Amino acid sequence: MKTKKRYLFPADYMADPSVHVFNGRIYIYPSHDWECENVENDNGDQYVMKDMHVLSIDGDPMTGTVTDHGKALDIADIPWAGRQLWDCDCAEKDGKYYLYFPLKDRTDIFRIGVAVADRPEGPFIAEPAPMLGSYSMDICVLKDDDGEYYLYFGGLWGGQLQRYRDNKALESACLPEGAEPSLPSRCARLSKDMLQFAEDPRPIQVIDEEGNPLRADDPHRFFEASWVHKHNGKYYFSYSTGDSHLLCYAVGDNPYGPFVYKGVILTPVVGWTTHHSIIEWKGKWYLFHHDSVPSGGKSWLRSLKVCELTHDADGNIITIEGTDE
Protein backbone atom coordinates (compact mmCIF):
# COMPACT_ATOMS: atom_id res chain seq x y z
CA MET A 1 0.00 0.00 0.00
CA LYS A 2 1.27 3.47 -0.87
CA THR A 3 0.92 5.90 2.00
CA LYS A 4 2.08 9.40 2.83
CA LYS A 5 5.11 9.56 5.15
CA ARG A 6 6.52 12.39 7.21
CA TYR A 7 10.10 13.04 8.30
CA LEU A 8 9.74 14.02 11.94
CA PHE A 9 13.01 15.69 12.92
CA PRO A 10 15.24 16.70 10.01
CA ALA A 11 17.54 18.77 12.26
CA ASP A 12 19.41 15.69 13.51
CA TYR A 13 19.98 12.01 12.78
CA MET A 14 17.87 9.83 15.06
CA ALA A 15 16.57 6.29 14.65
CA ASP A 16 14.96 3.25 16.35
CA PRO A 17 11.91 5.18 17.62
CA SER A 18 10.00 3.80 20.61
CA VAL A 19 6.79 5.80 20.86
CA HIS A 20 4.15 6.11 23.58
CA VAL A 21 1.30 8.38 24.59
CA PHE A 22 1.86 9.85 28.06
CA ASN A 23 -0.48 12.46 29.58
CA GLY A 24 -2.28 12.85 26.26
CA ARG A 25 0.90 13.66 24.30
CA ILE A 26 3.02 11.55 21.95
CA TYR A 27 6.60 10.99 23.14
CA ILE A 28 9.38 9.54 21.00
CA TYR A 29 12.42 7.80 22.50
CA PRO A 30 14.96 7.38 19.68
CA SER A 31 18.60 6.43 19.48
CA HIS A 32 20.95 9.22 18.37
CA ASP A 33 23.17 8.60 15.36
CA TRP A 34 26.56 10.31 15.08
CA GLU A 35 28.89 10.77 12.13
CA CYS A 36 32.00 8.67 12.71
CA GLU A 37 35.02 7.17 10.99
CA ASN A 38 34.38 3.62 12.17
CA VAL A 39 34.27 0.88 9.53
CA GLU A 40 30.74 -0.27 8.72
CA ASN A 41 30.51 -3.95 9.73
CA ASP A 42 28.14 -6.68 10.95
CA ASN A 43 28.96 -5.83 14.58
CA GLY A 44 27.50 -2.35 14.12
CA ASP A 45 30.67 -0.48 15.10
CA GLN A 46 29.48 2.43 12.95
CA TYR A 47 26.65 3.07 15.44
CA VAL A 48 28.58 4.97 18.11
CA MET A 49 25.55 6.53 19.91
CA LYS A 50 26.63 8.51 22.96
CA ASP A 51 23.40 10.04 24.30
CA MET A 52 19.61 10.04 24.00
CA HIS A 53 17.14 12.83 23.38
CA VAL A 54 13.38 12.76 23.90
CA LEU A 55 11.03 14.22 21.29
CA SER A 56 7.31 14.92 21.56
CA ILE A 57 4.56 15.83 19.11
CA ASP A 58 1.94 18.48 19.72
CA GLY A 59 -1.17 16.82 18.30
CA ASP A 60 -1.50 14.66 15.20
CA PRO A 61 1.60 12.58 14.27
CA MET A 62 1.40 13.66 10.61
CA THR A 63 1.02 17.40 11.22
CA GLY A 64 1.83 18.29 14.83
CA THR A 65 4.87 20.33 15.86
CA VAL A 66 7.81 18.19 16.99
CA THR A 67 9.72 19.38 20.07
CA ASP A 68 13.21 18.24 21.02
CA HIS A 69 13.36 18.20 24.83
CA GLY A 70 17.11 17.89 24.70
CA LYS A 71 19.49 15.34 26.13
CA ALA A 72 17.69 12.95 28.47
CA LEU A 73 20.57 10.56 29.16
CA ASP A 74 24.30 10.69 28.46
CA ILE A 75 26.70 7.76 28.40
CA ALA A 76 29.05 9.77 30.63
CA ASP A 77 26.46 9.67 33.43
CA ILE A 78 26.03 5.86 33.44
CA PRO A 79 28.36 4.36 36.07
CA TRP A 80 28.97 1.04 34.31
CA ALA A 81 29.20 2.39 30.75
CA GLY A 82 31.50 1.07 28.08
CA ARG A 83 30.25 2.17 24.64
CA GLN A 84 27.31 2.18 22.23
CA LEU A 85 24.17 3.47 23.91
CA TRP A 86 21.73 1.93 21.47
CA ASP A 87 17.93 1.88 21.20
CA CYS A 88 15.67 2.30 24.25
CA ASP A 89 12.08 2.27 25.45
CA CYS A 90 10.17 3.98 28.23
CA ALA A 91 7.34 2.96 30.55
CA GLU A 92 5.30 4.86 33.14
CA LYS A 93 4.20 3.51 36.51
CA ASP A 94 2.76 5.45 39.44
CA GLY A 95 3.97 8.77 38.11
CA LYS A 96 7.56 7.65 37.50
CA TYR A 97 9.11 7.06 34.07
CA TYR A 98 11.52 4.20 33.47
CA LEU A 99 13.90 4.31 30.52
CA TYR A 100 15.34 0.91 29.52
CA PHE A 101 18.48 1.01 27.40
CA PRO A 102 21.09 -1.44 26.06
CA LEU A 103 24.71 -0.47 26.53
CA LYS A 104 27.99 -2.33 26.28
CA ASP A 105 29.75 -2.58 29.60
CA ARG A 106 33.50 -2.22 30.00
CA THR A 107 34.02 -5.80 28.79
CA ASP A 108 32.12 -4.95 25.55
CA ILE A 109 29.10 -7.07 26.50
CA PHE A 110 25.62 -5.65 26.02
CA ARG A 111 23.59 -5.32 29.21
CA ILE A 112 20.26 -3.60 29.83
CA GLY A 113 20.16 -0.58 32.12
CA VAL A 114 17.35 1.40 33.73
CA ALA A 115 17.15 5.15 34.27
CA VAL A 116 14.34 6.89 36.17
CA ALA A 117 12.69 10.31 35.82
CA ASP A 118 9.75 12.26 37.19
CA ARG A 119 8.70 13.45 33.73
CA PRO A 120 8.39 11.65 30.38
CA GLU A 121 10.98 13.98 28.81
CA GLY A 122 13.50 13.36 31.59
CA PRO A 123 16.22 14.01 32.53
CA PHE A 124 16.73 10.36 33.50
CA ILE A 125 19.05 9.20 36.28
CA ALA A 126 20.66 5.82 35.61
CA GLU A 127 20.69 3.06 38.20
CA PRO A 128 24.24 2.20 39.36
CA ALA A 129 24.31 -1.24 37.73
CA PRO A 130 22.60 -3.04 34.83
CA MET A 131 19.63 -5.34 35.34
CA LEU A 132 20.66 -8.71 36.73
CA GLY A 133 20.70 -11.44 34.08
CA SER A 134 20.25 -8.99 31.19
CA TYR A 135 21.92 -9.30 27.81
CA SER A 136 21.59 -8.26 24.14
CA MET A 137 19.67 -5.16 22.95
CA ASP A 138 16.61 -3.63 21.21
CA ILE A 139 14.15 -2.92 24.01
CA CYS A 140 10.34 -2.86 24.02
CA VAL A 141 8.15 -2.58 27.12
CA LEU A 142 4.49 -3.62 27.07
CA LYS A 143 2.09 -2.52 29.80
CA ASP A 144 -0.67 -5.12 29.67
CA ASP A 145 -4.30 -4.57 30.59
CA ASP A 146 -3.84 -6.30 33.97
CA GLY A 147 -1.13 -3.84 35.02
CA GLU A 148 1.82 -6.18 34.45
CA TYR A 149 4.82 -4.93 32.46
CA TYR A 150 6.80 -7.09 30.03
CA LEU A 151 10.23 -6.28 28.61
CA TYR A 152 11.13 -7.69 25.17
CA PHE A 153 14.70 -7.67 23.88
CA GLY A 154 17.20 -9.33 21.57
CA GLY A 155 19.15 -8.83 18.37
CA LEU A 156 21.49 -10.95 16.27
CA TRP A 157 25.01 -10.24 15.00
CA GLY A 158 26.13 -7.03 16.73
CA GLY A 159 23.25 -7.47 19.19
CA GLN A 160 25.01 -10.57 20.59
CA LEU A 161 21.88 -12.75 20.98
CA GLN A 162 23.73 -15.67 19.34
CA ARG A 163 26.12 -15.69 22.30
CA TYR A 164 23.42 -17.02 24.67
CA ARG A 165 21.41 -20.18 25.19
CA ASP A 166 18.88 -20.64 28.00
CA ASN A 167 20.01 -17.25 29.36
CA LYS A 168 23.57 -18.50 29.81
CA ALA A 169 26.58 -17.19 27.91
CA LEU A 170 28.12 -19.62 25.42
CA GLU A 171 31.85 -20.19 25.03
CA SER A 172 31.36 -19.81 21.27
CA ALA A 173 28.55 -17.96 19.52
CA CYS A 174 26.06 -20.18 17.68
CA LEU A 175 23.96 -18.90 14.78
CA PRO A 176 21.41 -21.41 13.40
CA GLU A 177 21.59 -22.11 9.69
CA GLY A 178 19.34 -23.50 6.95
CA ALA A 179 16.42 -25.56 8.21
CA GLU A 180 17.33 -25.11 11.88
CA PRO A 181 14.84 -23.09 13.97
CA SER A 182 15.69 -19.40 13.98
CA LEU A 183 16.82 -17.61 17.12
CA PRO A 184 13.87 -16.04 18.96
CA SER A 185 13.46 -12.75 20.75
CA ARG A 186 13.25 -12.78 24.56
CA CYS A 187 10.65 -11.54 27.05
CA ALA A 188 10.58 -11.20 30.83
CA ARG A 189 7.93 -9.81 33.15
CA LEU A 190 9.28 -6.89 35.16
CA SER A 191 9.45 -6.67 38.95
CA LYS A 192 6.99 -4.47 40.83
CA ASP A 193 9.65 -1.77 41.29
CA MET A 194 10.34 -1.86 37.51
CA LEU A 195 14.10 -2.22 38.07
CA GLN A 196 14.70 -5.96 37.52
CA PHE A 197 13.34 -9.04 35.78
CA ALA A 198 10.69 -10.80 37.86
CA GLU A 199 11.48 -14.08 36.09
CA ASP A 200 14.01 -15.65 33.77
CA PRO A 201 13.65 -14.33 30.20
CA ARG A 202 11.60 -16.61 27.93
CA PRO A 203 11.98 -17.24 24.18
CA ILE A 204 9.34 -15.52 22.03
CA GLN A 205 8.81 -17.95 19.21
CA VAL A 206 7.42 -17.00 15.80
CA ILE A 207 5.77 -20.03 14.20
CA ASP A 208 4.07 -20.83 10.89
CA GLU A 209 0.43 -21.85 10.50
CA GLU A 210 1.38 -25.49 11.19
CA GLY A 211 3.05 -24.60 14.48
CA ASN A 212 6.66 -24.92 13.31
CA PRO A 213 9.23 -22.29 14.31
CA LEU A 214 10.34 -20.19 11.36
CA ARG A 215 13.57 -21.56 9.89
CA ALA A 216 16.90 -19.77 10.08
CA ASP A 217 16.88 -19.33 6.29
CA ASP A 218 13.34 -17.88 6.20
CA PRO A 219 13.54 -14.20 5.12
CA HIS A 220 10.69 -13.47 7.56
CA ARG A 221 12.38 -14.81 10.69
CA PHE A 222 13.19 -12.63 13.70
CA PHE A 223 16.46 -10.68 13.69
CA GLU A 224 15.97 -7.66 16.00
CA ALA A 225 13.67 -4.73 16.95
CA SER A 226 10.86 -6.37 18.91
CA TRP A 227 7.65 -4.39 19.35
CA VAL A 228 4.26 -5.46 20.74
CA HIS A 229 0.91 -3.74 20.40
CA LYS A 230 -2.60 -5.00 21.14
CA HIS A 231 -5.49 -4.82 18.68
CA ASN A 232 -8.96 -6.28 19.31
CA GLY A 233 -7.64 -8.37 22.21
CA LYS A 234 -4.78 -9.92 20.22
CA TYR A 235 -1.05 -9.41 20.78
CA TYR A 236 0.83 -8.28 17.69
CA PHE A 237 4.55 -9.06 17.85
CA SER A 238 6.41 -7.11 15.16
CA TYR A 239 10.11 -7.17 14.39
CA SER A 240 12.87 -6.52 11.88
CA THR A 241 14.28 -9.33 9.76
CA GLY A 242 17.68 -7.62 9.58
CA ASP A 243 19.57 -8.75 6.48
CA SER A 244 16.37 -9.30 4.47
CA HIS A 245 15.34 -5.72 5.36
CA LEU A 246 11.67 -6.24 6.22
CA LEU A 247 9.38 -5.37 9.08
CA CYS A 248 7.15 -8.37 9.79
CA TYR A 249 4.50 -9.32 12.32
CA ALA A 250 2.96 -12.31 14.03
CA VAL A 251 -0.12 -12.62 16.24
CA GLY A 252 -0.69 -14.42 19.55
CA ASP A 253 -3.09 -14.73 22.48
CA ASN A 254 -0.77 -13.76 25.35
CA PRO A 255 2.43 -11.74 25.93
CA TYR A 256 4.69 -14.79 25.62
CA GLY A 257 3.24 -16.19 22.41
CA PRO A 258 3.78 -18.33 20.48
CA PHE A 259 3.06 -15.83 17.71
CA VAL A 260 1.78 -17.06 14.35
CA TYR A 261 3.48 -15.34 11.42
CA LYS A 262 1.06 -13.20 9.41
CA GLY A 263 2.93 -10.96 6.99
CA VAL A 264 5.06 -7.96 6.09
CA ILE A 265 4.35 -4.54 7.58
CA LEU A 266 6.99 -2.54 5.70
CA THR A 267 9.03 -3.42 2.61
CA PRO A 268 12.74 -2.42 2.50
CA VAL A 269 13.69 1.21 3.02
CA VAL A 270 16.84 3.09 1.99
CA GLY A 271 19.49 2.06 4.51
CA TRP A 272 20.38 -1.29 6.02
CA THR A 273 18.31 -1.35 9.20
CA THR A 274 14.60 -1.10 9.84
CA HIS A 275 13.42 -0.47 13.41
CA HIS A 276 9.99 0.74 14.44
CA SER A 277 7.12 1.15 16.86
CA ILE A 278 3.33 1.17 16.46
CA ILE A 279 0.81 3.25 18.42
CA GLU A 280 -2.84 4.22 18.33
CA TRP A 281 -3.72 7.93 18.38
CA LYS A 282 -7.34 9.09 18.41
CA GLY A 283 -8.69 6.01 16.67
CA LYS A 284 -5.95 5.72 14.04
CA TRP A 285 -2.80 3.61 14.03
CA TYR A 286 0.66 4.88 13.13
CA LEU A 287 3.98 3.27 12.21
CA PHE A 288 7.11 5.10 13.34
CA HIS A 289 10.38 3.97 11.73
CA HIS A 290 13.48 5.39 10.01
CA ASP A 291 15.43 5.43 6.78
CA SER A 292 18.68 6.89 5.44
CA VAL A 293 17.42 9.03 2.57
CA PRO A 294 18.41 12.42 4.06
CA SER A 295 21.98 11.24 4.73
CA GLY A 296 22.42 10.02 1.17
CA GLY A 297 22.06 6.36 2.08
CA LYS A 298 24.55 6.23 4.97
CA SER A 299 23.02 3.42 6.99
CA TRP A 300 24.44 4.70 10.29
CA LEU A 301 22.90 8.18 9.83
CA ARG A 302 19.17 7.67 9.90
CA SER A 303 16.12 9.92 10.08
CA LEU A 304 12.78 9.40 11.83
CA LYS A 305 9.59 8.89 9.83
CA VAL A 306 5.92 8.26 10.53
CA CYS A 307 2.98 7.07 8.43
CA GLU A 308 -0.50 5.77 9.01
CA LEU A 309 -0.92 2.01 9.49
CA THR A 310 -4.11 0.10 8.69
CA HIS A 311 -5.61 -3.14 10.03
CA ASP A 312 -8.22 -4.70 7.74
CA ALA A 313 -11.54 -6.12 8.92
CA ASP A 314 -9.86 -9.40 9.85
CA GLY A 315 -7.12 -7.70 11.85
CA ASN A 316 -4.40 -8.13 9.22
CA ILE A 317 -1.93 -5.26 8.74
CA ILE A 318 -1.87 -3.85 5.22
CA THR A 319 1.70 -3.88 3.85
CA ILE A 320 3.31 -0.44 3.41
CA GLU A 321 5.85 0.29 0.67
CA GLY A 322 9.09 1.37 2.30
CA THR A 323 10.37 3.67 -0.42
CA ASP A 324 7.19 5.65 -1.02
CA GLU A 325 7.44 9.27 0.08
Side-chain angles (χ1 to χ4, degrees):
M1 179 179 71
K2 293 185 177 182
T3 185
K4 182 179 179 181
K5 300 183 178 71
R6 176 194 184 189
Y7 281 106
L8 286 164
F9 194 66
D12 204 349
Y13 294 115
M14 297 186 184
D16 309 324
S18 293
V19 184
H20 295 278
V21 178
F22 295 133
N23 307 322
R25 189 179 181 92
I26 297 171
Y27 285 88
I28 306 170
Y29 299 86
S31 56
H32 189 188
D33 286 348
W34 291 69
E35 182 67 274
C36 67
E37 297 180 357
N38 290 357
V39 174
E40 188 172 5
N41 58 36
D42 290 343
N43 289 325
D45 286 332
Q46 64 272 26
Y47 300 108
V48 294
M49 298 180 183
K50 298 178 285 188
D51 62 24
M52 291 178 174
H53 287 227
V54 177
L55 310 178
S56 69
I57 304 176
D58 182 14
D60 188 279
M62 300 301 296
T63 59
T65 300
V66 177
T67 299
D68 178 10
H69 297 279
K71 190 185 299 183
L73 183 66
D74 192 293
I75 196 169
D77 298 324
I78 301 171
W80 51 277
R83 65 186 182 110
Q84 292 183 306
L85 183 61
W86 282 10
D87 71 294
C88 62
D89 196 11
C90 188
E92 181 275 335
K93 183 178 182 181
D94 299 332
K96 293 285 188 180
Y97 296 86
Y98 299 86
L99 187 73
Y100 299 89
F101 58 89
L103 173 64
K104 286 181 177 175
D105 63 18
R106 292 179 183 130
T107 67
D108 231 28
I109 301 298
F110 267 119
R111 307 294 181 192
I112 299 171
V114 190
V116 186
D118 294 321
R119 303 181 302 166
E121 62 267 30
F124 290 85
I125 305 301
E127 292 292 300
M131 299 173 73
L132 297 174
S134 64
Y135 56 94
S136 199
M137 45 61 115
D138 278 9
I139 314 300
C140 164
V141 180
L142 170 71
K143 180 183 179 181
D144 209 352
D145 298 336
D146 60 2
E148 296 286 358
Y149 292 77
Y150 298 87
L151 190 146
Y152 298 80
F153 65 95
L156 278 62
W157 296 8
Q160 302 181 349
L161 188 61
Q162 69 276 5
R163 298 187 185 184
Y164 295 85
R165 181 176 297 157
D166 300 325
N167 301 317
K168 300 292 190 298
L170 300 171
E171 289 192 16
S172 299
C174 181
L175 267 173
E177 297 179 351
E180 295 179 295
S182 57
L183 280 179
S185 175
R186 303 288 192 271
C187 174
R189 183 169 49 85
L190 289 170
S191 59
K192 297 302 182 183
D193 66 5
M194 302 290 283
L195 300 179
Q196 300 290 343
F197 295 148
E199 60 185 0
D200 291 337
R202 308 186 192 189
I204 300 300
Q205 198 67 251
V206 178
I207 60 175
D208 62 21
E209 295 287 349
E210 286 72 46
N212 304 305
L214 295 194
R215 295 164 40 136
D217 59 3
D218 190 321
H220 308 109
R221 55 80 172 101
F222 170 81
F223 187 96
E224 61 186 9
S226 303
W227 188 260
V228 178
H229 75 278
K230 293 186 72 174
H231 177 66
N232 290 342
K234 296 288 187 179
Y235 296 80
Y236 285 65
F237 175 70
S238 50
Y239 56 93
S240 171
T241 64
D243 55 347
S244 57
H245 315 297
L246 303 169
L247 282 181
C248 293
Y249 78 103
V251 177
D253 294 320
N254 68 79
Y256 300 115
F259 294 90
V260 179
Y261 176 78
K262 292 297 183 181
V264 174
I265 298 174
L266 183 71
T267 63
V269 301
V270 174
W272 197 90
T273 66
T274 306
H275 191 131
H276 71 298
S277 58
I278 296 169
I279 67 162
E280 184 179 16
W281 172 258
K282 296 190 175 180
K284 293 184 177 181
W285 290 89
Y286 294 90
L287 173 71
F288 292 77
H289 62 103
H290 62 239
D291 69 19
S292 298
V293 171
S295 69
K298 294 180 179 179
S299 68
W300 65 95
L301 293 176
R302 299 159 296 175
S303 296
L304 298 171
K305 298 184 82 171
V306 63
C307 63
E308 193 170 338
L309 177 144
T310 303
H311 304 80
D312 69 17
D314 296 319
N316 301 308
I317 295 175
I318 306 300
T319 302
I320 298 166
E321 297 300 323
T323 55
D324 286 340
E325 295 302 316

